[in-house]
Amino acid sequence: MYLAKFFHRAPDDDDRELMLVPGSDPMVIGIHMNWKGEPDANEFLREEFPDIAGAAAAFRRHVAKLVAAGYVETDHTNYTLRDLGPNPRAKPDWQKGLDELMILALSAPMAEQAAQLDALKGTPAEHEPLYLWLAAHHGKAAGEDFTQTLRFAEQARDALRARRAAGQSHYAWSMYEGDLEGRILELLSDVYLLAENPVAALATIEHLCKIAPNHDRILQRAEILCGFFPERREEAFDDAYQWSRFGGYDVITLFPGYAEYEARRKAGTTAKGWRWKPGTPASEADVSAAEQAIDVKLPDDYRNFLLSRGETELLVRLPESSSELRFYAPDELATQLRNVLDFIAHSEDELEEACAYFRKEYGVSLKHLVPIAEPSQLSRCLLLHVEPGERHGQCFQWDHDGAWELEQKQPGFDVALKALTDGIEQRDAAALAFFDL
């Protein structure tokens, strides 16, 4: 995380950036904007500190020093910016107040954080997702009423989503939207647990693991599964087996049953090497809406899969490696189709050229190749051909690295799925290559 403030002093073009860098080695960095000299000589300040409190205090001192020298803080926030442009606007006081709240959350006692939260009430700041997240963060850390803390966390999530849906901006200082959303959802999952709602806690962290997975989030999901969902405990063991070498999984690896699971994995006796994760079956209305969105009828075998399993994952578990094949929910299909078309062709002319090539080479309509599943953290997917006609329902594998190529043609969805699962059981190289195993 880089928290940046930008300063302008008229009529000069000697604009400045001041950055607070939290983390294990906190720093304060000052940068000359509009720099014309050597690229690596644009810093006027670089100080390292043993703790964030010292770095925060120094950051405030340097801000005050620039203001005393006639600089005005501007409303820019992108820490990679190197040119403020003409006539930059001054940052509003409520945004400065949110900046200070963020610094206090990183470095100050609870009482100081509470005072700043109170000071921002009645200003535009109190409606910002950043404020609501920090209010929930403070409430959780201070052990305050969980009802109010949960309300703040849910409001932070909902406010961010509402702004995004409406195309409206929000103020989060130098935090990217995805970073802020991830932190909100991590906190919300924690607070749901404190409120004794493990179902909501799991749903929240599973959604986050889907859109932005990292080690801490996968661990948080595994801990919830292990502690509250005995019927899914083996998923937590899966994660521990794969990721415990990076630390943090002691509670799970010491759990009754893990040692036996580990022995089975190492011996290669985990039955077929694959199993289904519990999914969310789609409704008939969900499937019909997806068909309307892509303007075709889906093949019967794939339709039945959506109605019985829906959004789910095929979990691949081999002695030395793991993977997942995530099947999209019906409402994701149109977006995934658009994403693939945009990747293959960057203009309408190129798209028409690609369509002609796919028709000639494979006998299929590129605009009717719908992505239905993707292996975890890999740039490839399973495509389903939905154009009416004799090739309706054919399946192919597709990879970003060979964007104009289709592989492993199968006559239907059920056949393609059986080929994958049989290949996993038989440790077939071609089947495992789809998962990069």
Side-chain angles (χ1 to χ4, degrees), residues 182-338:
R183 293 170 188 267
I184 289 171
L185 294 180
E186 283 180 354
L187 175 64
L188 183 56
S189 181
D190 284 340
V191 178
Y192 277 135
L193 275 185
L194 292 173
E196 299 182 348
N197 189 348
V199 173
L202 179 61
T204 301
I205 202 63
E206 285 201 309
H207 173 70
L208 184 53
C209 285
K210 183 175 79 171
I211 63 173
N214 65 27
H215 180 77
D216 290 340
R217 293 163 185 175
I218 294 171
L219 172 59
Q220 187 169 342
R221 178 187 64 186
E223 289 177 341
I224 294 172
L225 286 172
C226 205
F228 298 94
F229 298 90
E231 73 281 6
R232 295 183 58 186
R233 192 165 290 153
E234 194 155 300
E235 292 178 48
F237 292 170
D238 289 342
D239 291 332
Y241 186 83
Q242 186 172 4
W243 306 114
S244 60
R245 65 186 183 277
F246 297 108
Y249 281 86
D250 291 352
V251 171
I252 295 172
T253 57
L254 294 174
F255 205 88
Y258 178 79
E260 185 270 336
Y261 169 86
E262 182 181 36
R264 281 192 288 117
R265 281 291 296 270
K266 289 181 176 178
T269 57
T270 52
K272 302 170 292 188
W274 62 269
R275 69 177 189 278
W276 287 105
K277 178 179 179 179
T280 305
S283 67
E284 182 65 42
D286 294 332
V287 177
S288 296
E291 291 177 324
Q292 289 178 1
I294 57 179
D295 197 27
V296 292
K297 179 171 171 43
L298 295 170
D300 288 341
D301 52 1
Y302 177 60
R303 251 183 149 270
N304 292 335
F305 176 86
L306 290 176
L307 294 171
S308 61
R309 293 195 183 276
E311 183 179 13
T312 186
E313 292 181 7
L314 178 68
L315 307 177
V316 184
R317 300 296 182 250
L318 304 180
E320 299 300 332
S321 55
S322 302
S323 185
E324 298 81 33
L325 181 62
R326 185 174 84 83
F327 288 82
Y328 304 126
D331 62 3
E332 294 182 80
L333 297 180
T335 298
Q336 295 297 335
L337 173 58
R338 186 70 256 171

Side-chain angles (χ1 to χ4, degrees), residues 1 10 98 110-111 115 198 200 209 302 342 347 373 380 419 421:
M1 185 191 304
L98 264 180
M110 291 292 165
C209 285
Y302 177 60
D342 288 344
S347 68
R380 58 188 61 153
T421 54

